[in-house]
Amino acid sequence: MSTELAKETRAAPTRRRGRTGDLLVRWSFMVPAILLLAVMLAYPIFYTIDISFSRFDLSSFGAGEWVGWENYIEVMDDYRFWESLRVTMVYLVIALPLQVVLGFGIAFLINAEWAGRGLIRALFIIPMVVAPVVAGGMWRMILDPLWGILNYWLGFIGIGPLDWFGDPTLAMAAVIIIDTWRWTPFIVLIATAALLALPKDVFEAAKIDGANWWSTLWSVAVPLLVPVIAATFVIRWLGAVKMFDIVLAATYGGPGKATNVINLFIYEEAFRSLRFAESAAMAVIVLIVTMVLTGLFLYGSRKLEELF
Amino acid sequence: MEEEIVTHKQLKKLARRRSVLAGIAGSLILAATPLVPAQAQEGLGTADNPVEIRIMANEAFANSWQTTLVPEFNKKYPNVHVTFDGVPYTELLAKMMLDATSPNPDYDVLLVDDPWVPQLAEIGALMDLKGEQIAALTDADYDWGDFNAAPLAAGEWKGIQYAVPVRSNMLLRFYNRSLYEQAGLPEPTPAQTWDEFFSDAEKLVRDTNADGKDDVWAVDTYFVRESLTPTIWQSILNANGGQLLDESGAPAFANETGQKSLEAHKRLIDYAPPGALGHGFSESLQAFRQGLVANMFNWGSVYKSTAVDPKSTTLTVDEVGIQVLPVGSAQAGAHRGIWIAGISSKTEQLEASWAFIQWLTSKEGESINAALVGSFPARKSTLNGAPAEPWLGPVYKTLQNAYEVAADGQMWRIRSPKSDAAQQILADEIARGLAGQVSAEEALNTAAAKISKVLK
């Protein structure tokens, strides 16, 4: 017993050394990543927060005198901020469900065996690789009431001419069309991969049980796809909430302020009006709102997964 | 104590050392004397050791200046290498300020838009071009008094001349003589009033191919939500005797004159092509060049590409008229938009930088700039002299008139270190007014309240 105790006593520091060494090795692998994250992610965020509580000093191009909540109060008092948030919400509420439904619907259609499916899938990638500013400019030409080809075609079926950039509702529709054209293929790709990964035996069982196309879709495919749909929605939400480049190129936020999304407003306040402190305050508010909503969506998606 | 006592021997030693040091210093001064002219030469470079200056400019014209004007400059100063970096207009000011506030700025010369001088001057980014340092490098025949007052004033802030006009521009009225003739209307004159303009406008919107749809319109200009759109409203406001700010610097446009002017701007949409609410610089230019609109209010610098160059226009010089904007209750309208060049206060290439600006803004440089790239001059002697091309004659006459009109009516954007913030507010509110989202009264009251806060 005493020999074993002596052995134990001798082994304890060795184990401790081993554990410490192990910890050191682990941390040495993590330190570069932590440093990189701190520099690339945390520093800009803390810098933005610092600016948002300061008067921006243009002569040093950095945070100057500490002003507390002044910038936040000013932003909250600005109807343009709330108006931009409202416009962003309208865009998100329409564009996101539309893109998810279209994306999964198209994926379901092209998932069937038919000639040319591969080519169509390849073509679907094109809008995603077009720069947003180019997409906005290109669609601006297509939708232009004077020179655009869309109004010309619509004329053949007795519609129009539509003033896509002069009517507030149509301008928002134009932004949603452009954004949907750009991002639906992304959802199609994810949905196609998810559909291919679904277990075939479940579908075969449904077929044997006599389920029709609709029943198979609604009662088999959709429940199995819910986790993917929820995850796709969250990913797309995070992308869509940042959108401003398409608006900048297509409608300039107009007519009036009909398509002035929040990120365009923040961009303009910062880089055109040089009101960096106020725009930093807006960016912080938007960051918090986005984080809260993302948290809610993640919670909701987990609940949906449990439900199905 | 002993150590503190200075002996006679030590004093003699010190005196000897002093004389040796004085001798060395004297030799150095003598050796350096011939270097003075050599250093001056080095300021403009030598064949073996050329100097380089970098210029930040609007990408809209940076490239053409690099390829067209720099070779002309190098004929006179072959050892100064000039590099233009073009930046999109919307990011230009922020990038300039970021560069100017860094300890070692990359740029020696900054090409600045009309309302930016106060902002750059306030952060100490620009040199005083009439100060002692630059005056010593200025040619005796460089005539400051020859510049028209309005464009020169664009480069001045609080009595100091920080920049000098290099690409003068004015908001002008272009009209299509053929469309006026086809509508049976006489050619407009600079004396035409806004009421007369609107009366003609009704007749200028026409269906030329009898398909039941209008295919030519009376006017196109800025209506889109952007910072230059308020310049149209402002030129109407100024023509009606209104001002943006009063003498104390407070907004003075939220009144009946301002509303009447915004309503006139909005009324133009009734005579503009479909979708005009989304039109700005490019769209109005395209419509006018294609002969779709009889009038265009746009920057004078587009004249060459609109009336002269067949690669970019369907119109000819004979078809395109140019004059100031219609007359309001006080005077004709115009708006100043001058690109001015200043020198970075931290440049290490002062002599070469000033050599470039001085050449470009000299009588010779202005003529070359006008002839080769179509930039408008600011000098009275250039405007009143023999133009390099025949088409420049009527354009110069209009430009001289517009400078005088702008000077009389103070037709320029707000001069303040916060001018861009104020202009953005105007852009937002004028856009809301034009789109009919709010009344002219509400748009202008909101703009006035916000600008008042920003300018505090």
Side-chain angles (χ1 to χ4, degrees):
Chain A
M1 191 67 184
S2 63
T3 323
E4 277 176 16
L5 189 69
K7 271 185 191 170
E8 193 70 23
T9 319
R10 276 200 302 276
T14 318
R15 270 208 303 275
R16 268 202 301 276
R17 271 202 300 276
R19 269 206 304 273
T20 315
D22 185 43
L23 269 177
L24 276 174
V25 169
R26 287 181 195 194
W27 276 100
S28 68
F29 283 123
M30 283 166 64
V31 162
I34 291 171
L35 278 177
L36 204 68
L37 276 176
V39 172
M40 306 298 286
L41 197 70
Y43 177 76
I45 290 175
F46 285 115
Y47 183 62
T48 306
I49 293 170
D50 183 25
I51 291 174
S52 74
F53 286 103
S54 313
R55 202 174 302 289
F56 192 80
D57 182 4
L58 281 172
S59 59
S60 63
F61 229 78
E65 180 197 349
W66 177 266
V67 294
W69 294 98
E70 196 179 291
N71 293 322
Y72 287 88
I73 293 165
E74 190 167 336
V75 165
M76 296 287 196
D77 195 34
D78 192 339
Y79 87 92
R80 297 180 301 167
F81 173 69
W82 297 109
E83 180 66 17
S84 302
L85 274 182
R86 188 193 65 78
V87 168
T88 310
M89 283 301 148
V90 170
Y91 149 73
L92 289 172
V93 163
I94 300 172
L96 284 187
L98 180 70
Q99 288 169 17
V100 171
V101 169
L102 265 180
F104 277 85
I106 293 169
F108 200 75
L109 288 175
I110 64 170
N111 198 38
E113 287 291 339
W114 52 281
R117 187 177 66 163
L119 179 72
I120 293 293
R121 272 186 193 159
L123 289 175
F124 259 106
I125 298 172
I126 293 173
M128 277 168 60
V129 295
V130 175
V133 173
V134 176
M138 193 178 74
W139 275 93
R140 188 173 168 81
M141 286 192 262
I142 293 171
L143 298 173
D144 190 284
L146 196 56
W147 298 285
I149 195 142
L150 190 69
N151 269 7
Y152 178 73
W153 285 340
L154 288 174
F156 288 122
I157 52 171
I159 299 174
L162 301 176
D163 190 355
W164 289 98
F165 303 117
D167 180 274
T169 312
L170 284 175
M172 178 54 85
V175 169
I176 291 169
I177 288 170
I178 302 167
D179 195 55
T180 304
W181 173 82
R182 238 189 128 238
W183 284 108
T184 302
F186 168 73
I187 298 172
V188 171
L189 282 184
I190 293 179
T192 307
L195 282 169
L196 288 172
L198 290 181
K200 289 207 170 35
D201 50 350
V202 184
F203 287 90
E204 281 163 8
K207 200 175 176 183
I208 292 163
D209 288 345
N212 61 17
W213 180 86
W214 177 251
S215 307
T216 311
L217 172 71
W218 190 248
S219 305
V220 182
V222 170
L224 287 170
L225 285 172
V226 160
V228 183
I229 293 173
T232 310
F233 184 86
V234 173
I235 294 168
R236 190 61 208 108
W237 146 263
L238 288 172
V241 84
K242 293 186 295 193
M243 192 278 288
F244 84 101
D245 30 24
I246 287 174
V247 174
L248 184 66
T251 64
Y252 308 106
K257 297 181 72 63
T259 55
N260 190 25
V261 290
I262 187 69
N263 282 303
L264 178 62
F265 182 53
I266 294 175
Y267 166 78
E268 286 177 340
E269 284 293 281
F271 295 99
R272 293 195 183 164
S273 301
L274 303 182
R275 300 178 79 203
F276 289 99
E278 292 84 351
S279 32
M282 283 191 270
V284 171
I285 295 170
V286 171
L287 178 71
I288 292 166
V289 171
T290 309
M291 281 166 68
V292 169
L293 286 174
T294 307
L296 284 175
F297 291 146
L298 286 172
Y299 176 78
S301 68
R302 270 200 301 276
K303 284 283 161 202
L304 273 175
E305 280 176 41
E306 284 165 22
L307 203 68
F308 287 95
Chain B
M1 280 298 279
E2 241 178 46
E3 284 167 13
E4 285 175 28
I5 299 166
V6 182
T7 61
H8 181 67
K9 254 184 184 174
Q10 280 172 319
L11 277 172
K12 272 180 84 177
K13 218 179 199 176
L14 269 172
R16 256 204 317 274
R17 267 187 204 158
R18 265 187 208 142
S19 64
V20 169
L21 282 169
I24 292 168
S27 313
L28 281 171
I29 290 165
L30 282 171
T33 311
L35 278 179
V36 175
Q39 272 173 349
Q41 189 56 40
E42 275 170 19
L44 295 171
T46 59
D48 296 333
N49 193 17
V51 294
E52 188 184 355
I53 57 168
R54 293 186 66 186
I55 302 176
M56 193 193 285
N58 185 352
E59 68 168 1
F61 55 86
N63 191 40
S64 64
W65 284 31
Q66 178 76 61
T67 53
T68 313
L69 293 181
V70 172
E72 294 297 321
F73 168 70
N74 285 145
K75 286 178 187 168
K76 194 168 180 184
Y77 296 96
N79 303 318
V80 179
H81 290 182
V82 180
T83 306
F84 274 90
D85 283 337
V87 176
Y89 179 79
T90 50
E91 286 145 34
L92 191 55
L93 177 61
K95 287 201 174 173
M96 267 181 193
M97 297 193 80
L98 195 57
D99 183 72
T101 50
S102 77
N104 300 303
D106 288 331
Y107 294 95
D108 304 289
V109 174
L110 304 174
L111 254 63
V112 178
D113 193 14
D114 197 312
W116 297 346
V117 167
Q119 296 168 74
L120 289 161
E122 287 288 311
I123 61 164
L126 299 171
M127 291 200 74
D128 176 2
L129 297 185
K130 288 185 177 174
E132 277 179 25
Q133 222 177 339
I134 292 184
L137 301 168
T138 306
D139 293 341
D141 61 349
Y142 189 81
D143 187 0
W144 285 100
D146 188 31
F147 286 107
N148 270 291
L152 189 63
E156 182 257 322
W157 175 243
K158 291 185 176 171
I160 297 173
Q161 194 70 40
Y162 289 103
V164 58
V166 290
R167 190 176 189 265
S168 299
N169 219 346
M170 296 299 288
L171 190 66
L172 295 172
R173 173 184 180 181
F174 293 74
Y175 59 93
N176 183 324
R177 291 194 176 98
S178 305
L179 291 181
Y180 267 86
E181 200 180 316
Q182 286 161 24
L185 291 166
E187 196 176 314
T189 68
Q192 189 179 52
T193 64
W194 276 107
D195 289 339
E196 288 162 351
F197 173 86
F198 281 116
S199 167
D200 282 358
E202 284 176 19
K203 295 166 198 151
L204 287 164
V205 180
R206 291 180 307 123
D207 169 15
T208 58
N209 57 8
D211 66 351
K213 292 177 193 162
D214 292 330
D215 45 32
V216 292
W217 294 269
V219 65
D220 205 356
T221 186
Y222 287 88
F223 299 107
V224 73
R225 179 182 169 272
E226 71 134 294
S227 60
L228 288 175
T229 297
T231 59
I232 304 294
W233 160 73
Q234 194 195 327
S235 71
I236 305 173
L237 172 83
N238 294 151
N240 285 330
Q243 283 297 318
L244 282 185
L245 305 179
D246 62 19
E247 281 174 9
S248 68
F253 55 79
N255 51 28
E256 203 182 325
T257 312
Q259 289 162 29
K260 193 180 146 198
S261 306
L262 183 51
E263 275 151 15
H265 189 180
K266 191 179 172 194
R267 196 175 161 201
L268 292 174
I269 300 170
D270 298 340
Y271 306 104
L277 206 48
H279 285 196
F281 175 80
S282 309
E283 295 82 5
S284 57
L285 197 56
Q286 203 176 343
F288 188 80
R289 283 171 179 172
Q290 290 179 9
L292 298 176
V293 291
N295 290 276
M296 170 179 73
F297 304 135
N298 213 323
W299 300 96
S301 59
V302 300
Y303 187 86
K304 191 180 179 189
S305 62
T306 301
V308 182
D309 188 356
K311 286 180 198 155
S312 55
T313 184
T314 62
L315 308 174
T316 61
V317 173
D318 295 337
E319 271 182 299
V320 181
I322 186 167
Q323 60 188 36
V324 287
L325 270 68
V327 177
S329 57
Q331 62 168 108
H335 189 87
R336 193 183 72 188
I338 313 287
W339 282 93
I340 36 195
I343 298 177
S344 166
S345 55
K346 294 176 189 165
T347 183
E348 288 172 4
Q349 303 296 348
L350 178 62
E351 193 173 356
S353 300
W354 179 236
F356 180 74
I357 293 179
Q358 195 179 199
W359 171 82
L360 189 61
T361 57
S362 65
K363 293 172 188 177
E364 178 201 359
E366 264 204 347
S367 300
I368 292 171
N369 194 356
L372 297 184
V373 291
S375 301
F376 285 168
R379 287 184 174 277
K380 291 173 207 161
S381 60
T382 317
L383 287 167
N384 297 326
E389 304 280 341
W391 61 265
L392 282 169
V395 176
Y396 281 3
K397 195 177 156 198
T398 301
L399 202 58
Q400 182 64 51
N401 183 19
Y403 286 153
E404 287 154 18
V405 164
D408 286 348
Q410 296 181 23
M411 297 176 177
W412 42 78
R413 278 157 276 173
I414 289 172
R415 305 281 295 169
S416 151
K418 303 278 181 66
S419 66
D420 269 47
Q423 195 65 19
Q424 191 61 40
I425 291 167
L426 278 178
D428 277 344
E429 298 310 322
I430 297 297
R432 287 208 305 158
L434 291 175
Q437 289 171 354
V438 290
S439 66
E441 185 183 7
E442 189 183 338
L444 296 180
N445 284 339
T446 309
K450 286 196 167 298
I451 289 175
S452 177
K453 210 170 167 183
V454 159
L455 295 182
K456 255 183 207 168

